[in-house]
Amino acid sequence: ILGYNRQRIPGNWKLMQENIKDPYHPGLLHTWFVTFGLWRADNKAALKMDAQHRHAAMISTRGNAGKQSDVSQVSSFKSSMELEDKRFLDIVHEDWWGEPTAVMTTIFPSVIFQQQVNSVSTRHIQPDGHGNFDFVWTHFGFADDTPEMTARRLRQANLFGPAGFVSADDGEAIELSQCGFTQKTDHRALALLGGRGVEETDHMVTETLIRGMYEYWRKVMETKT
Ligand SMILES: [Fe+2]
């Protein structure tokens, strides 16, 4: 274990599972991801689920997407933008990955296992009532890592974590969503870009993982009442 982070997010805990089953937002919200090619909607990708659709994996492989002309919808993508401190993008391929460079695994109801290039972490959702949760990150390495690899894993974990360039965006988006829900509790909204079905896909243009989770959620909650 390399270290921990903890953040409190003022939103319903299910929004965090939705977040990590939603392949649209990384390319729209996390401009950092898009600019540096770590996650783009047109990366080679796969969405997988267990047989009951509770658990899921968003699997993405960096560096095989098209150039800016192919993703003109994403205005934040600037192929010429560079970092002053290149250590943030000091990514070393490891044999155990296989091909994918990011695998985000949601285990229903409250755990996330993630590999984001060289960083390996779990995140645990700890609800505090229906409108708040603590989000506890644990960052890992391998026992035989070199000191350079440990530093690399920590740097990348910090980059993706609550004080970095990625997860702070998610916490704010969840808070804003929760504020929206509580304004008019009798109102309903429905987004159906990818239809109503639940199925595995070889692309990221679908909300299938979120529908799968709520399909299971309704089944469990109905049996309990
Ligand atoms: Fe996110």
Side-chain angles (χ1 to χ4, degrees):
I1 292 174
L2 301 183
Y4 304 95
N5 295 115
R6 176 187 290 263
Q7 65 190 123
R8 170 153 290 195
I9 299 179
N12 185 268
W13 63 272
K14 294 191 292 304
L15 292 171
M16 196 68 240
Q17 288 285 37
E18 282 194 41
N19 180 275
I20 300 175
K21 291 171 187 285
D22 161 35
Y24 297 140
H25 88 276
L28 296 168
L29 178 68
H30 304 307
T31 53
W32 203 92
F33 267 169
V34 181
T35 302
F36 296 102
L38 287 172
W39 185 289
R40 289 176 36 186
D42 55 346
N43 275 352
K44 185 179 172 191
L47 301 178
K48 294 191 181 296
M49 285 172 277
D50 74 307
Q52 301 193 70
H53 308 144
R54 305 162 289 187
H55 318 309
M58 293 202 297
I59 302 160
S60 176
T61 303
R62 174 189 179 227
N64 53 15
K67 290 208 165 49
Q68 185 171 9
S69 57
D70 304 324
V71 286
S72 54
Q73 304 288 326
V74 184
S75 57
S76 59
F77 177 59
K78 294 187 175 69
S79 53
S80 61
M81 189 179 275
E82 287 189 18
L83 279 172
E84 282 295 323
D85 187 346
K86 299 277 194 301
R87 290 177 307 169
F88 278 125
L89 290 174
D90 172 28
I91 291 161
V92 173
H93 188 274
E94 299 177 70
D95 288 340
W96 62 268
W97 297 0
E99 193 189 2
T101 48
V103 181
M104 306 295 292
T105 307
T106 38
I107 304 297
F108 187 87
S110 60
V111 178
I112 293 109
F113 296 149
Q114 68 178 62
Q115 178 223 342
Q116 293 266 28
V117 283
N118 296 111
S119 75
V120 191
S121 311
T122 62
R123 310 194 214 173
H124 188 203
I125 300 165
Q126 300 178 354
D128 176 37
H130 67 265
N132 265 306
F133 64 93
D134 281 343
F135 206 25
V136 180
W137 302 60
T138 306
H139 305 291
F140 297 89
F142 291 93
D144 58 354
D145 281 345
T146 61
E148 291 75 26
M149 182 55 92
T150 298
R152 179 181 293 114
R153 291 197 205 287
L154 279 169
R155 218 160 26 231
Q156 292 179 17
N158 191 49
L159 166 74
F160 296 118
F165 298 150
V166 182
S167 193
D169 303 344
D170 294 311
E172 186 168 4
I174 286 174
E175 179 175 0
L176 290 171
S177 300
Q178 184 76 22
C179 289
F181 300 146
T182 49
Q183 262 177 14
K184 303 232 165 141
T185 51
D186 58 327
H187 283 200
R188 299 288 180 271
L190 185 62
L192 281 171
L193 288 178
R196 290 178 176 271
V198 178
E199 59 185 2
E200 296 192 338
T201 64
D202 61 358
H203 60 82
M204 295 243 190
V205 192
T206 172
E207 322 81 39
T208 184
L209 302 185
I210 297 174
R211 277 193 294 274
M213 178 180 79
Y214 282 112
E215 179 192 80
Y216 180 76
W217 162 262
R218 280 196 297 269
K219 218 185 308 176
V220 176
M221 297 308 281
E222 277 164 18
T223 7
K224 290 249 159 74
T225 50

